[in-house]
Amino acid sequence: MRIFLVRHGESLGNLDERAYSQFGDHNVPLTQWGYRQASEAGSVIAAYLAGLTEPGSKPIRIWYSPFLRTRQSKDALLAALPGERIDKVREDYLLREQDFGLFTEIYDHAERKQKFPDEFEKWARLRSNSGKFYARPPDGESRADVAQRMRLFLQTIMHEARHGHDNVVIVGHGVTNRAFEMSFLQHPVDWFERSVNPDNSDVTLIEGTRETGYTSKLLHQSSDRQPGQNDLQDVYGAQITLRSGP
């Protein structure tokens, strides 16, 4: 079995957190740089598959989160992958980003504390006493909640693998991809606490067999912006302007 975990490319929200409040987390688009990153990731996957020597290599099934930035990243991957290698392409809401509840679209801790002082204090206490993995933001999801839905999604992946569909690309988010890797490889909670999210358009490859076991590795580390490199910051595929005010 072979699973390529791809995080979405650079989004407008990665450049300016105001994008989350302007568009809503689910509707934040890629930048032009982010689309290029995702396309590069697709080319890396295509080259890897082309280099395989195993006979009768099976086509790829692609799954993606319903958020705009992951849908656009999926499109970039499809443009880079050979069409004859693609089987089904499907969306699954289980792959969505972690839900931060009241803190959604508020990424600054000071602002969270100012707007929701009681809820922030409770959340901070939970993080301190129980750990980040179990602490649930008010009206939102903990990382443990995300891991649980990744376990549910994993049932779909393994069901299809039993029917011969074992080459998979998953286009998701930092926390969800990491939670999937944790669930698939049966890592302990401590692994999640010590690990970090992949960067935009990084590709993690999980491969192996039930008999020999599975391993993961960072197959591709995407090209990030360098200091002073400000090109391709515009929104990909649409004429959208980020508001300058609050």
Side-chain angles (χ1 to χ4, degrees):
M1 188 169 193
R2 187 172 294 112
I3 302 174
F4 300 91
L5 291 173
V6 185
R7 187 185 176 190
H8 62 79
E10 177 193 81
S11 74
L12 197 61
N14 294 130
L15 296 184
D16 193 326
E17 292 178 354
R18 291 176 301 167
Y20 296 108
S21 58
Q22 179 170 337
F23 303 111
D25 193 10
H26 69 290
N27 210 33
V28 172
L30 291 182
T31 63
Q32 292 179 14
W33 181 277
Y35 188 88
R36 175 182 291 187
Q37 285 180 313
S39 179
E40 182 183 6
S43 297
V44 168
I45 295 173
Y48 186 86
L49 293 172
L52 296 176
T53 57
E54 60 192 37
S57 182
K58 297 182 178 65
I60 304 169
R61 291 200 165 188
I62 297 179
W63 293 88
Y64 60 94
S65 156
F67 283 25
L68 177 58
R69 55 190 179 274
T70 38
R71 299 201 315 268
Q72 291 178 327
S73 297
K74 172 264 300 179
D75 292 341
L77 289 173
L78 287 174
L81 290 166
E84 66 273 11
R85 297 299 302 269
I86 306 300
D87 185 5
K88 291 185 177 180
V89 181
R90 287 176 289 182
E91 175 183 295
D92 196 306
Y93 68 93
L94 292 173
L95 295 172
R96 68 192 184 275
E97 178 63 291
Q98 180 182 3
D99 183 355
F100 284 91
L102 287 179
F103 297 156
T104 298
E105 304 159 7
I106 306 175
Y107 283 78
D108 180 70
H109 273 14
E111 185 178 356
R112 289 173 173 177
K113 187 174 183 179
Q114 179 184 10
K115 289 188 174 181
F116 305 104
D118 294 340
E119 292 85 352
F120 182 87
E121 178 62 29
K122 179 181 178 181
W123 181 61
R125 189 167 60 252
L126 286 172
R127 283 163 60 92
S128 176
N129 294 339
S130 303
K132 293 180 181 179
F133 186 75
Y134 300 105
R136 183 177 291 135
D139 298 330
E141 291 180 297
S142 67
R143 293 174 174 182
D145 294 326
V146 177
Q148 285 182 324
R149 56 178 161 90
M150 288 303 98
R151 290 286 293 271
L152 184 60
F153 176 72
L154 183 56
Q155 294 179 22
T156 298
I157 296 299
M158 299 311 295
H159 172 77
E160 294 200 334
R162 287 192 291 271
H163 291 80
H165 307 295
D166 57 359
N167 276 340
V168 182
V169 174
I170 297 174
V171 187
H173 306 265
V175 171
T176 50
N177 282 11
R178 191 153 51 110
F180 180 91
E181 182 179 358
M182 172 191 176
S183 297
F184 189 96
L185 296 177
Q186 299 180 349
H187 287 315
V189 170
D190 182 62
W191 176 89
F192 195 102
E193 295 279 28
R194 289 184 288 104
S195 63
V196 296
N197 286 344
D199 291 329
N200 296 123
S201 286
D202 280 0
V203 181
T204 299
L205 172 62
I206 300 174
E207 62 181 343
T209 66
R210 186 188 298 268
E211 292 74 22
T212 62
Y214 297 94
T215 60
S216 68
K217 66 179 180 181
L218 181 62
L219 180 67
H220 169 65
Q221 189 166 19
S222 65
S223 301
D224 286 331
R225 294 179 183 276
Q226 301 302 312
Q229 190 176 36
N230 297 318
D231 58 330
L232 301 178
Q233 292 194 54
D234 293 336
V235 170
Y236 169 76
Q239 296 298 319
I240 298 176
T241 302
L242 187 65
R243 289 195 301 261
S244 58

